[in-house]
Amino acid sequence: CVGMVCVSISGIILDQVVVDGQVVCQESLGGIGLHAVYGMALVQLTHPHIKVQLVAKVGHDFDLSLLTADGIDVTNISVIPDKVTARSSQQFANGRASHVWLTSVDEFRKVFKVQIDDLLRYNDQLLGASFHTDQSIPIAKPYLTHLRTVAKAQFIIWEPVSPSCIVANQAQLVECFPLIDVFSPNLSELRALCGQQV
């Protein structure tokens, strides 16, 4: 499988981490797709011929060497020259965690969200794909269809976005199941999809 590619499709967010009201970290690498791509990078320890790539969009201020130093292929990360990278605050207090956007959600969706055109470069070459981006369940099918039928991904993991995990989206979700291998909501998301109290 020389030249095979594992790809994570997601956003990159620079996180401020706040614990009990105190900022303990500024601009920590965030975004669930980064967790996935670093997990994929472990494959390179025993299969160095497999490329691990991240499909994402960042601003001009993002230091791509943070990823390349860890063996992540940044070829398909788009740098937007007139924008700064999306930011948020991860806050932990009294045993609870919360997420606060510092970049407006509208700007994130308009500027930094991965689009179907960003996947067109992948054609008959994917070993695996992790899909976690701001596409909701009702509009995810074209992305997953491309990954499975055009890019020929042999293994697809779909990590849903929480706001789209609602009972009304169950039918569209079931339609997508033949296209994926793993659907990985957290417990709250799964309960919401099943109409249970979260």
Side-chain angles (χ1 to χ4, degrees):
C1 53
V2 174
M4 296 296 277
V5 176
C6 288
V7 61
S8 177
I9 303 152
S10 184
I12 292 178
I13 301 169
L14 295 177
D15 283 330
Q16 175 193 71
V17 180
V18 181
V19 179
D20 295 329
Q22 299 293 317
V23 177
V24 297
C25 185
Q26 289 279 16
E27 301 193 344
S28 173
L29 288 177
I32 195 68
L34 279 174
H35 303 167
V37 83
Y38 273 97
M40 291 174 178
L42 295 176
V43 174
Q44 293 179 314
L45 297 176
T46 54
H47 298 80
H49 55 281
I50 294 178
K51 290 184 179 180
V52 176
Q53 296 183 342
L54 183 63
V55 179
K57 297 178 180 179
V58 297
H60 63 81
D61 58 331
F62 188 81
D63 183 1
L64 293 174
S65 69
L66 294 173
L67 301 176
T68 57
D70 292 326
I72 308 300
D73 186 332
V74 298
T75 303
N76 293 326
I77 294 180
S78 301
V79 178
I80 303 170
D82 60 342
K83 296 290 183 179
V84 296
T85 304
R87 285 165 166 79
S88 71
S89 178
Q90 304 288 343
Q91 303 181 2
F92 303 88
N94 301 318
R96 300 181 65 87
S98 61
H99 172 263
V100 178
W101 280 102
L102 302 179
T103 299
S104 78
V105 175
D106 284 343
E107 178 177 345
F108 180 79
R109 289 176 175 165
K110 291 176 182 177
V111 177
F112 296 106
K113 183 168 72 172
V114 173
Q115 304 293 340
I116 190 70
D117 287 351
D118 299 311
L119 303 183
L120 296 181
R121 68 199 74 183
Y122 291 107
N123 183 14
D124 195 21
Q125 62 175 306
L126 287 185
L127 177 61
S130 172
F131 180 74
H132 178 88
T133 186
D134 199 36
Q135 278 71 27
S136 65
I137 288 173
I139 62 173
K141 190 173 182 179
Y143 294 80
L144 297 169
T145 299
H146 180 87
L147 290 172
R148 179 66 83 195
T149 63
V150 180
K152 306 294 188 196
Q154 299 177 39
F155 194 84
I156 297 176
I157 300 171
W158 182 15
E159 171 78 19
V161 289
S162 296
S164 70
C165 292
I166 57 176
V167 174
N169 288 339
Q170 281 184 2
Q172 293 97 328
L173 173 62
V174 171
E175 288 180 9
C176 292
F177 278 167
L179 298 168
I180 63 175
D181 300 285
V182 176
F183 180 65
S184 57
N186 61 38
L187 181 58
S188 296
E189 291 165 343
L190 184 60
R191 284 175 171 167
L193 274 166
C194 296
Q196 298 180 7
Q197 185 174 358
V198 176

